[in-house]
Coordinates of all heavy atoms in Angstrom, one line a residue:
M1 N 108.1 107.7 93.2 CA 107.8 107.2 94.5 C 107.7 105.7 94.4 O 107.2 105.2 93.4 CB 106.5 107.8 94.9 CG 105.8 107.2 96.0 SD 104.2 107.9 96.6 CE 103.7 109.2 95.4
S2 N 108.2 105.0 95.4 CA 108.0 103.5 95.4 C 107.3 103.2 96.7 O 107.4 103.9 97.7 CB 109.4 102.8 95.5 OG 110.1 103.0 94.3
M3 N 106.5 102.1 96.6 CA 105.7 101.7 97.7 C 105.9 100.2 98.0 O 106.1 99.5 97.1 CB 104.3 101.9 97.4 CG 103.3 101.4 98.3 SD 101.6 101.7 97.8 CE 101.5 100.8 96.3
W4 N 105.9 99.8 99.3 CA 106.0 98.4 99.6 C 105.3 98.2 100.9 O 105.0 99.1 101.7 CB 107.4 97.9 99.6 CG 108.3 98.4 100.7 CD1 108.5 97.7 101.9 CD2 109.0 99.6 100.8 NE1 109.3 98.5 102.7 CE2 109.6 99.6 102.1 CE3 109.2 100.7 100.0 CZ2 110.4 100.7 102.5 CZ3 110.0 101.7 100.4 CH2 110.6 101.7 101.7
S5 N 105.0 96.9 101.2 CA 104.4 96.6 102.4 C 105.4 96.7 103.5 O 106.5 96.3 103.4 CB 103.9 95.1 102.3 OG 103.5 94.7 103.6
C6 N 104.9 97.3 104.7 CA 105.8 97.5 105.8 C 105.7 96.2 106.7 O 106.4 96.2 107.7 CB 105.4 98.7 106.6 SG 105.5 100.2 105.8
E7 N 104.9 95.3 106.4 CA 104.7 94.2 107.3 C 106.0 93.4 107.4 O 106.7 93.2 106.4 CB 103.7 93.2 106.7 CG 102.3 93.8 106.7 CD 101.7 93.9 108.1 OE1 102.0 93.1 109.0 OE2 101.0 94.9 108.3
V8 N 106.3 93.0 108.6 CA 107.5 92.1 108.8 C 107.1 90.7 108.4 O 106.1 90.2 108.9 CB 108.0 92.2 110.2 CG1 109.1 91.2 110.5 CG2 108.3 93.6 110.6
S9 N 107.8 90.1 107.5 CA 107.5 88.8 107.1 C 108.7 88.0 106.9 O 109.8 88.5 106.9 CB 106.6 88.8 105.8 OG 107.3 89.3 104.7
H10 N 108.6 86.7 106.6 CA 109.8 85.9 106.3 C 110.3 86.1 104.9 O 111.4 85.7 104.6 CB 109.4 84.4 106.6 CG 109.0 84.2 108.0 ND1 109.9 84.3 109.0 CD2 107.8 84.0 108.6 CE1 109.3 84.0 110.2 NE2 108.0 83.9 109.9
A11 N 109.4 86.5 104.0 CA 109.8 86.7 102.6 C 110.0 88.2 102.3 O 109.2 89.0 102.8 CB 108.8 86.1 101.7
A12 N 111.0 88.6 101.6 CA 111.3 90.0 101.2 C 110.2 90.4 100.2 O 109.8 89.6 99.3 CB 112.7 90.1 100.6
V13 N 109.8 91.6 100.3 CA 108.8 92.1 99.4 C 109.5 93.3 98.6 O 110.0 94.2 99.2 CB 107.6 92.7 100.1 CG1 106.6 93.3 99.1 CG2 106.9 91.6 100.9
A14 N 109.6 93.1 97.3 CA 110.2 94.1 96.4 C 109.3 95.4 96.3 O 108.1 95.3 96.3 CB 110.4 93.6 95.0
P15 N 109.9 96.6 96.3 CA 109.1 97.8 96.2 C 108.4 97.8 94.8 O 108.8 97.2 93.9 CB 110.2 98.9 96.1 CG 111.4 98.3 96.8 CD 111.3 96.8 96.5
T16 N 107.2 98.4 94.8 CA 106.4 98.6 93.7 C 106.5 100.0 93.2 O 105.9 100.9 93.9 CB 104.9 98.2 93.9 OG1 104.8 96.9 94.4 CG2 104.1 98.3 92.7
P17 N 107.2 100.3 92.1 CA 107.2 101.7 91.7 C 105.9 102.2 91.3 O 105.1 101.5 90.6 CB 108.2 101.6 90.4 CG 108.9 100.3 90.5 CD 107.9 99.4 91.3
L18 N 105.6 103.4 91.7 CA 104.3 104.1 91.3 C 104.7 105.1 90.2 O 105.5 106.0 90.5 CB 103.7 104.7 92.5 CG 103.2 103.8 93.6 CD1 102.7 104.6 94.8 CD2 102.2 102.8 93.1
E19 N 104.1 105.1 89.1 CA 104.3 106.0 88.1 C 103.2 107.1 88.1 O 102.3 107.2 87.3 CB 104.3 105.4 86.7 CG 105.3 104.3 86.5 CD 106.7 104.8 86.5 OE1 106.9 106.0 86.1 OE2 107.6 104.1 87.0
M20 N 103.3 107.9 89.2 CA 102.3 109.0 89.4 C 102.9 110.0 90.3 O 103.8 109.7 91.1 CB 101.0 108.5 90.0 CG 101.0 107.9 91.4 SD 99.5 107.5 92.2 CE 98.8 106.3 91.1
S21 N 102.4 111.2 90.2 CA 102.9 112.3 91.1 C 102.3 112.1 92.5 O 101.3 111.4 92.7 CB 102.5 113.6 90.5 OG 101.0 113.8 90.6
G22 N 102.9 112.8 93.4 CA 102.3 112.7 94.8 C 100.9 113.3 94.8 O 100.0 112.7 95.5
D23 N 100.6 114.3 94.1 CA 99.3 114.9 94.1 C 98.2 113.9 93.5 O 97.1 113.7 94.1 CB 99.2 116.2 93.2 CG 99.9 117.3 93.8 OD1 100.1 117.3 95.1 OD2 100.3 118.3 93.1
N24 N 98.6 113.2 92.5 CA 97.7 112.2 91.9 C 97.5 111.0 92.9 O 96.4 110.5 93.1 CB 98.2 111.6 90.6 CG 98.0 112.6 89.5 OD1 97.2 113.5 89.6 ND2 98.8 112.4 88.4
F25 N 98.5 110.6 93.6 CA 98.4 109.6 94.6 C 97.4 110.0 95.7 O 96.5 109.3 96.1 CB 99.7 109.2 95.2 CG 99.6 108.2 96.3 CD1 99.4 106.9 96.0 CD2 99.8 108.6 97.6 CE1 99.3 105.9 97.0 CE2 99.7 107.6 98.6 CZ 99.4 106.3 98.3
V26 N 97.6 111.2 96.3 CA 96.8 111.7 97.3 C 95.3 111.8 96.9 O 94.4 111.4 97.6 CB 97.3 113.1 97.8 CG1 96.2 113.7 98.7 CG2 98.6 112.9 98.6
D27 N 95.1 112.2 95.6 CA 93.7 112.2 95.1 C 93.1 110.9 95.0 O 91.8 110.8 95.0 CB 93.7 112.9 93.7 CG 94.0 114.4 93.7 OD1 93.9 115.0 94.8 OD2 94.3 115.0 92.7
S28 N 93.9 109.8 95.0 CA 93.3 108.5 94.9 C 93.0 107.8 96.2 O 92.5 106.7 96.3 CB 94.2 107.6 94.0 OG 95.4 107.3 94.8
D29 N 93.5 108.4 97.3 CA 93.4 107.8 98.6 C 92.2 108.4 99.5 O 91.7 109.5 99.1 CB 94.7 107.9 99.4 CG 95.5 106.6 99.2 OD1 95.2 105.8 98.3 OD2 96.4 106.4 100.0
P30 N 91.9 107.8 100.6 CA 90.7 108.3 101.4 C 90.9 109.7 101.9 O 89.9 110.4 102.2 CB 90.6 107.3 102.6 CG 91.4 106.1 102.1 CD 92.4 106.6 101.1
Y31 N 92.1 110.2 102.1 CA 92.3 111.6 102.6 C 92.3 112.6 101.5 O 92.6 113.8 101.7 CB 93.5 111.7 103.5 CG 94.7 110.9 102.9 CD1 95.6 111.4 102.0 CD2 95.0 109.6 103.4 CE1 96.7 110.7 101.5 CE2 96.1 108.9 102.9 CZ 96.9 109.5 102.0 OH 98.0 108.8 101.5
A32 N 91.9 112.3 100.3 CA 91.9 113.2 99.2 C 91.0 114.4 99.4 O 91.3 115.5 98.9 CB 91.5 112.5 97.9
Q33 N 90.0 114.3 100.1 CA 89.1 115.4 100.4 C 89.7 116.5 101.2 O 89.2 117.6 101.3 CB 87.7 115.0 101.0 CG 87.0 114.0 100.1 CD 86.6 114.6 98.8 OE1 86.2 115.7 98.7 NE2 86.8 113.9 97.7
G34 N 90.8 116.2 101.9 CA 91.4 117.1 102.8 C 90.6 117.4 104.1 O 90.9 118.3 104.8
K35 N 89.7 116.5 104.4 CA 88.9 116.6 105.6 C 88.8 115.3 106.3 O 88.8 114.3 105.7 CB 87.4 117.1 105.2 CG 87.4 118.4 104.5 CD 85.9 118.7 104.1 CE 85.8 119.9 103.2 NZ 84.5 120.2 102.8
A36 N 88.8 115.4 107.6 CA 88.5 114.2 108.4 C 87.7 114.6 109.6 O 87.9 115.7 110.2 CB 89.8 113.5 108.8
T37 N 86.8 113.8 110.1 CA 86.0 114.1 111.2 C 86.8 114.2 112.5 O 86.6 115.1 113.3 CB 84.9 113.1 111.4 OG1 84.2 112.9 110.2 CG2 83.9 113.4 112.5
R38 N 87.8 113.4 112.6 CA 88.7 113.4 113.8 C 90.1 113.5 113.3 O 90.5 112.8 112.4 CB 88.6 112.0 114.6 CG 87.2 111.7 114.9 CD 86.9 112.2 116.3 NE 85.6 111.6 116.8 CZ 84.5 112.3 117.0 NH1 84.5 113.6 116.7 NH2 83.4 111.7 117.4
T39 N 90.9 114.4 113.9 CA 92.3 114.6 113.5 C 93.2 114.7 114.8 O 92.7 115.2 115.8 CB 92.5 115.8 112.6 OG1 92.1 117.0 113.3 CG2 91.7 115.7 111.3
S40 N 94.4 114.3 114.6 CA 95.4 114.5 115.7 C 96.8 114.6 115.0 O 97.0 113.9 114.0 CB 95.3 113.4 116.7 OG 96.2 113.6 117.7
R41 N 97.7 115.4 115.6 CA 99.0 115.4 115.1 C 99.9 115.3 116.3 O 99.7 115.9 117.4 CB 99.3 116.8 114.4 CG 100.7 116.8 113.8 CD 100.9 118.2 113.1 NE 101.5 119.0 114.1 CZ 101.8 120.3 113.9 NH1 101.4 120.9 112.8 NH2 102.3 121.0 114.9
F42 N 101.0 114.4 116.2 CA 101.9 114.2 117.3 C 103.3 113.8 116.7 O 103.4 113.6 115.5 CB 101.4 113.1 118.2 CG 101.1 111.8 117.6 CD1 102.1 110.8 117.6 CD2 99.9 111.5 117.1 CE1 101.9 109.6 117.0 CE2 99.7 110.2 116.5 CZ 100.6 109.3 116.5
T43 N 104.3 113.8 117.5 CA 105.6 113.4 117.1 C 105.9 112.0 117.7 O 105.7 111.8 118.8 CB 106.6 114.4 117.7 OG1 106.3 115.7 117.2 CG2 108.0 114.1 117.2
D44 N 106.4 111.1 116.8 CA 106.7 109.8 117.2 C 108.1 109.7 117.9 O 108.8 110.7 118.0 CB 106.5 108.7 116.1 CG 107.6 108.9 115.0 OD1 108.6 109.6 115.2 OD2 107.4 108.2 114.0
A45 N 108.4 108.5 118.4 CA 109.7 108.3 119.1 C 110.9 108.7 118.2 O 112.0 109.0 118.8 CB 109.8 106.9 119.6
E46 N 110.8 108.6 116.9 CA 111.9 108.9 116.0 C 111.9 110.3 115.6 O 112.8 110.7 114.8 CB 111.7 108.0 114.7 CG 111.8 106.5 115.0 CD 111.4 105.7 113.8 OE1 110.7 106.2 112.9 OE2 111.8 104.5 113.7
G47 N 111.0 111.1 116.1 CA 110.9 112.6 115.8 C 110.2 112.9 114.6 O 110.1 114.1 114.1
H48 N 109.5 112.0 113.9 CA 108.6 112.2 112.8 C 107.3 112.8 113.2 O 106.7 112.4 114.2 CB 108.4 111.0 111.9 CG 109.7 110.4 111.4 ND1 110.2 109.2 111.8 CD2 110.5 110.8 110.4 CE1 111.3 109.0 111.1 NE2 111.5 109.9 110.3
T49 N 106.7 113.6 112.3 CA 105.4 114.1 112.5 C 104.4 113.0 112.1 O 104.6 112.4 111.0 CB 105.1 115.4 111.7 OG1 106.0 116.4 112.2 CG2 103.7 115.8 111.8
V50 N 103.4 112.7 112.9 CA 102.4 111.7 112.5 C 101.0 112.4 112.5 O 100.7 113.1 113.5 CB 102.4 110.6 113.6 CG1 101.4 109.5 113.2 CG2 103.8 109.9 113.6
L51 N 100.3 112.2 111.5 CA 98.9 112.7 111.4 C 98.0 111.5 111.5 O 98.1 110.5 110.8 CB 98.7 113.3 110.0 CG 99.6 114.5 109.6 CD1 99.3 114.9 108.2 CD2 99.5 115.6 110.6
A52 N 97.1 111.6 112.4 CA 96.0 110.5 112.6 C 94.7 111.1 112.1 O 94.3 112.2 112.6 CB 95.9 110.1 114.1
L53 N 94.1 110.4 111.2 CA 92.8 110.9 110.6 C 91.7 109.9 110.8 O 91.9 108.7 110.6 CB 93.0 111.1 109.1 CG 94.2 112.0 108.7 CD1 94.4 111.9 107.2 CD2 94.1 113.4 109.2
G54 N 90.6 110.3 111.3 CA 89.5 109.4 111.5 C 88.3 109.8 110.7 O 87.9 111.0 110.6
H55 N 87.6 108.8 110.1 CA 86.4 109.0 109.4 C 85.4 108.0 109.9 O 85.1 106.9 109.3 CB 86.6 108.7 107.9 CG 87.7 109.5 107.2 ND1 87.4 110.8 106.7 CD2 89.0 109.4 107.1 CE1 88.5 111.3 106.2 NE2 89.5 110.5 106.4
P56 N 84.8 108.3 111.1 CA 83.9 107.3 111.8 C 82.7 106.9 111.0 O 82.3 105.7 111.0 CB 83.5 108.0 113.1 CG 84.5 109.1 113.3 CD 85.0 109.5 111.9
G57 N 82.2 107.8 110.2 CA 81.0 107.5 109.4 C 81.4 106.4 108.3 O 80.5 105.6 107.9
E58 N 82.6 106.4 107.9 CA 83.1 105.4 106.9 C 83.8 104.2 107.6 O 84.3 103.3 106.9 CB 84.0 106.1 105.9 CG 83.3 107.1 105.1 CD 84.3 107.9 104.2 OE1 85.1 107.2 103.6 OE2 84.1 109.1 104.1
R59 N 83.9 104.3 109.0 CA 84.6 103.2 109.8 C 86.0 103.1 109.2 O 86.5 102.0 109.0 CB 83.8 101.9 109.7 CG 82.4 102.1 110.3 CD 81.5 100.9 110.2 NE 82.1 99.7 110.7 CZ 81.7 98.5 110.4 NH1 80.8 98.3 109.5 NH2 82.3 97.5 111.0
L60 N 86.7 104.2 109.1 CA 88.0 104.2 108.5 C 88.9 105.1 109.4 O 88.5 106.2 109.8 CB 87.9 104.8 107.1 CG 89.2 105.1 106.3 CD1 89.9 103.7 106.0 CD2 88.9 105.8 105.1
A61 N 90.2 104.6 109.6 CA 91.2 105.4 110.3 C 92.5 105.3 109.6 O 92.8 104.2 109.0 CB 91.3 104.9 111.8
L62 N 93.2 106.4 109.5 CA 94.5 106.4 108.9 C 95.5 107.1 109.8 O 95.2 108.0 110.5 CB 94.5 107.3 107.6 CG 93.6 106.8 106.5 CD1 92.6 107.8 106.0 CD2 94.5 106.3 105.4
E63 N 96.8 106.6 109.7 CA 97.9 107.2 110.3 C 99.0 107.4 109.3 O 99.4 106.5 108.6 CB 98.4 106.3 111.5 CG 99.5 106.9 112.3 CD 99.9 106.0 113.5 OE1 99.2 106.0 114.5 OE2 100.9 105.3 113.3
L64 N 99.4 108.7 109.1 CA 100.4 109.0 108.1 C 101.6 109.5 108.9 O 101.5 110.5 109.6 CB 99.9 110.1 107.2 CG 98.5 109.8 106.5 CD1 98.0 111.1 105.8 CD2 98.6 108.7 105.6
T65 N 102.8 109.0 108.6 CA 104.1 109.4 109.1 C 104.8 110.2 108.1 O 104.9 109.7 106.9 CB 104.9 108.2 109.6 OG1 104.2 107.5 110.6 CG2 106.2 108.7 110.2
L66 N 105.2 111.4 108.4 CA 105.8 112.3 107.5 C 107.3 112.4 107.7 O 107.8 112.3 108.9 CB 105.2 113.7 107.6 CG 103.7 113.8 107.5 CD1 103.3 115.3 107.7 CD2 103.2 113.2 106.2
D67 N 108.1 112.6 106.6 CA 109.5 112.8 106.8 C 109.8 114.3 107.0 O 108.9 115.1 107.1 CB 110.3 112.2 105.6 CG 110.1 113.0 104.3 OD1 109.5 114.0 104.3 OD2 110.6 112.4 103.3
E68 N 111.1 114.7 107.1 CA 111.4 116.1 107.3 C 111.0 117.0 106.2 O 110.9 118.2 106.4 CB 112.9 116.2 107.6 CG 113.8 115.8 106.5 CD 114.1 114.3 106.5 OE1 113.7 113.6 107.4 OE2 114.6 113.8 105.5
D69 N 110.7 116.5 105.0 CA 110.2 117.3 103.9 C 108.7 117.2 103.8 O 108.1 117.6 102.8 CB 110.9 116.7 102.6 CG 112.3 117.0 102.5 OD1 112.8 118.0 103.0 OD2 113.1 116.1 102.0
K70 N 108.1 116.7 104.8 CA 106.6 116.7 104.9 C 106.0 115.7 103.9 O 104.8 115.9 103.5 CB 105.9 118.0 104.8 CG 106.5 119.1 105.8 CD 106.1 118.7 107.2 CE 106.6 119.8 108.1 NZ 107.2 119.3 109.3
R71 N 106.8 114.7 103.5 CA 106.3 113.7 102.6 C 105.8 112.4 103.4 O 106.5 112.1 104.4 CB 107.3 113.3 101.6 CG 107.8 114.4 100.7 CD 108.9 114.0 99.8 NE 110.1 113.5 100.5 CZ 111.2 113.3 100.0 NH1 111.4 113.4 98.7 NH2 112.2 112.8 100.7
V72 N 104.8 111.7 102.9 CA 104.4 110.5 103.6 C 105.4 109.4 103.4 O 105.8 109.1 102.3 CB 103.0 110.1 103.1 CG1 102.6 108.7 103.7 CG2 101.9 111.1 103.3
V73 N 105.9 108.9 104.5 CA 106.9 107.8 104.4 C 106.3 106.4 104.9 O 106.7 105.4 104.5 CB 108.2 108.1 105.1 CG1 109.0 109.1 104.4 CG2 108.0 108.4 106.6
R74 N 105.2 106.5 105.7 CA 104.5 105.3 106.2 C 103.0 105.7 106.3 O 102.6 106.8 106.7 CB 105.0 104.9 107.6 CG 106.3 104.2 107.6 CD 106.7 103.6 108.9 NE 106.8 104.5 110.0 CZ 107.9 105.2 110.4 NH1 109.0 105.0 109.7 NH2 107.9 106.0 111.4
E75 N 102.2 104.7 106.0 CA 100.8 104.9 106.0 C 100.2 103.6 106.6 O 100.6 102.5 106.3 CB 100.2 105.1 104.6 CG 98.7 105.1 104.6 CD 98.2 105.1 103.2 OE1 98.4 104.1 102.5 OE2 97.5 106.0 102.8
T76 N 99.3 103.8 107.6 CA 98.5 102.6 108.1 C 97.1 103.0 108.0 O 96.6 104.1 108.4 CB 98.8 102.4 109.6 OG1 100.2 102.2 109.8 CG2 98.0 101.2 110.2
L77 N 96.3 102.1 107.3 CA 94.9 102.3 107.1 C 94.1 101.1 107.8 O 94.5 100.0 107.6 CB 94.6 102.3 105.6 CG 93.1 102.6 105.2 CD1 93.1 103.3 103.9 CD2 92.3 101.3 105.1
V78 N 93.2 101.5 108.6 CA 92.4 100.5 109.3 C 90.9 100.7 109.0 O 90.4 101.8 109.1 CB 92.5 100.6 110.8 CG1 91.7 99.5 111.5 CG2 94.0 100.4 111.2
A79 N 90.2 99.6 108.5 CA 88.8 99.7 108.2 C 88.3 98.3 108.5 O 89.1 97.3 108.8 CB 88.6 100.0 106.7
P80 N 87.0 98.1 108.5 CA 86.4 96.8 108.8 C 87.1 95.7 107.9 O 87.2 95.8 106.7 CB 84.9 96.9 108.5 CG 84.7 98.3 108.8 CD 85.9 99.1 108.3
D81 N 87.7 94.7 108.5 CA 88.3 93.5 107.9 C 89.5 93.9 107.1 O 90.0 93.2 106.2 CB 87.3 92.8 107.0 CG 86.1 92.2 107.7 OD1 86.3 91.7 108.8 OD2 85.0 92.3 107.2
H82 N 90.1 95.1 107.3 CA 91.3 95.5 106.6 C 92.3 96.2 107.5 O 92.0 97.0 108.4 CB 90.9 96.6 105.5 CG 90.2 96.0 104.4 ND1 88.8 95.9 104.4 CD2 90.6 95.6 103.2 CE1 88.4 95.3 103.3 NE2 89.4 95.2 102.5
L83 N 93.6 95.8 107.3 CA 94.7 96.5 108.0 C 95.8 96.6 106.9 O 96.3 95.6 106.4 CB 95.2 95.7 109.2 CG 96.5 96.3 109.7 CD1 96.4 97.7 110.2 CD2 97.0 95.4 110.9
I84 N 96.0 97.8 106.4 CA 97.0 98.0 105.3 C 98.1 98.9 105.8 O 97.8 100.0 106.4 CB 96.3 98.7 104.1 CG1 95.1 97.8 103.6 CG2 97.3 99.0 103.0 CD1 94.2 98.5 102.6
R85 N 99.3 98.4 105.7 CA 100.5 99.2 106.0 C 101.4 99.3 104.8 O 101.7 98.3 104.2 CB 101.3 98.5 107.2 CG 100.5 98.5 108.5 CD 101.4 97.9 109.5 NE 100.6 97.9 110.8 CZ 100.7 97.0 111.7 NH1 101.5 96.0 111.6 NH2 100.0 97.1 112.8
R86 N 101.7 100.5 104.5 CA 102.6 100.8 103.3 C 103.7 101.7 103.7 O 103.5 102.6 104.6 CB 101.8 101.4 102.2 CG 100.6 100.5 101.7 CD 100.0 101.0 100.5 NE 99.1 102.2 100.8 CZ 98.3 102.7 99.9 NH1 98.2 102.2 98.7 NH2 97.6 103.8 100.2
C87 N 104.8 101.6 103.1 CA 106.0 102.5 103.3 C 106.3 103.1 101.9 O 106.1 102.4 100.9 CB 107.2 101.7 103.8 SG 107.0 101.1 105.5
F88 N 106.9 104.2 101.9 CA 107.2 104.9 100.7 C 108.6 105.5 100.7 O 109.1 105.9 101.7 CB 106.2 106.1 100.5 CG 104.8 105.7 100.5 CD1 104.1 105.8 101.7 CD2 104.1 105.4 99.3 CE1 102.7 105.4 101.7 CE2 102.8 105.0 99.4 CZ 102.1 105.0 100.6
T89 N 109.2 105.4 99.5 CA 110.5 106.0 99.3 C 110.4 106.9 98.1 O 109.5 106.7 97.3 CB 111.7 105.0 99.1 OG1 111.3 104.2 97.9 CG2 111.9 104.1 100.3
Y90 N 111.2 107.9 98.0 CA 111.2 108.9 96.9 C 112.5 109.0 96.2 O 113.5 109.0 96.9 CB 110.8 110.3 97.5 CG 109.4 110.3 98.2 CD1 109.3 109.9 99.5 CD2 108.3 110.6 97.5 CE1 108.1 109.8 100.1 CE2 107.0 110.6 98.1 CZ 106.9 110.2 99.4 OH 105.7 110.2 100.0
P91 N 112.5 109.1 94.9 CA 113.7 109.3 94.2 C 114.3 110.7 94.5 O 113.6 111.6 94.9 CB 113.3 109.2 92.7 CG 111.9 109.6 92.7 CD 111.3 109.2 94.0
E92 N 115.6 110.8 94.5 CA 116.2 112.1 94.7 C 115.8 113.0 93.6 O 115.6 112.6 92.4 CB 117.8 111.9 94.7 CG 118.3 111.1 95.8 CD 118.0 111.7 97.2 OE1 118.1 112.9 97.3 OE2 117.7 110.9 98.1
D93 N 115.6 114.3 94.0 CA 115.2 115.3 93.0 C 116.3 115.5 92.0 O 117.5 115.5 92.3 CB 114.9 116.6 93.6 CG 113.7 116.6 94.5 OD1 112.8 115.7 94.3 OD2 113.6 117.4 95.4
A94 N 116.0 115.5 90.7 CA 117.0 115.6 89.6 C 117.8 116.9 89.7 O 118.9 116.9 89.3 CB 116.3 115.4 88.3
G95 N 117.2 117.9 90.2 CA 117.8 119.2 90.2 C 118.7 119.5 91.4 O 119.4 120.5 91.5
D96 N 118.8 118.6 92.3 CA 119.6 118.8 93.6 C 121.0 118.1 93.4 O 121.2 117.3 92.7 CB 118.9 118.2 94.8 CG 117.7 119.0 95.2 OD1 117.6 120.1 94.7 OD2 116.8 118.4 95.9

């Protein structure tokens, strides 16, 4: 999995390869508990499934955009004094 900033800027940002499994990545992020006080699921204009997760007690909100294989391809995290946008790409499966 590779990750990079989705922010539009004047300078190109090279992807940062992550040497971890998807399960380990999820375990390291705020949605690792598999619970959120507020949740919503909708389809965006491109036809992707989007999960919106709210943790009001932690003043944290996440929006996860999934691809057709149900993998996170975009993440937006909003918290006090923070706005983080990340995009993800995945290597092709070796067995396919």
Side-chain angles (χ1 to χ4, degrees):
M1 166 180 6
S2 293
M3 171 181 63
W4 72 94
S5 170
C6 296
E7 292 293 323
V8 176
S9 66
H10 299 288
V13 177
T16 302
L18 299 176
E19 300 294 328
M20 66 173 60
S21 70
D23 288 340
N24 287 339
F25 175 75
V26 168
D27 287 344
S28 72
D29 265 19
Y31 39 85
Q33 298 299 317
K35 300 176 187 177
T37 305
R38 307 267 192 249
T39 62
S40 182
R41 186 180 92 186
F42 58 93
T43 303
D44 68 10
E46 298 169 338
H48 295 110
T49 297
V50 178
L51 305 175
L53 310 173
H55 302 273
E58 298 177 38
R59 299 171 58 199
L60 174 68
L62 292 128
E63 186 176 279
L64 307 173
T65 302
L66 310 179
D67 68 8
E68 60 278 350
D69 294 321
K70 307 296 185 223
R71 299 178 300 190
V72 176
V73 292
R74 287 189 298 271
E75 173 189 62
T76 302
L77 183 145
V78 180
D81 300 320
H82 291 83
L83 171 60
I84 300 169
R85 292 185 179 144
R86 300 188 287 190
C87 294
F88 303 91
T89 59
Y90 299 86
E92 294 299 319
D93 292 335
D96 290 342

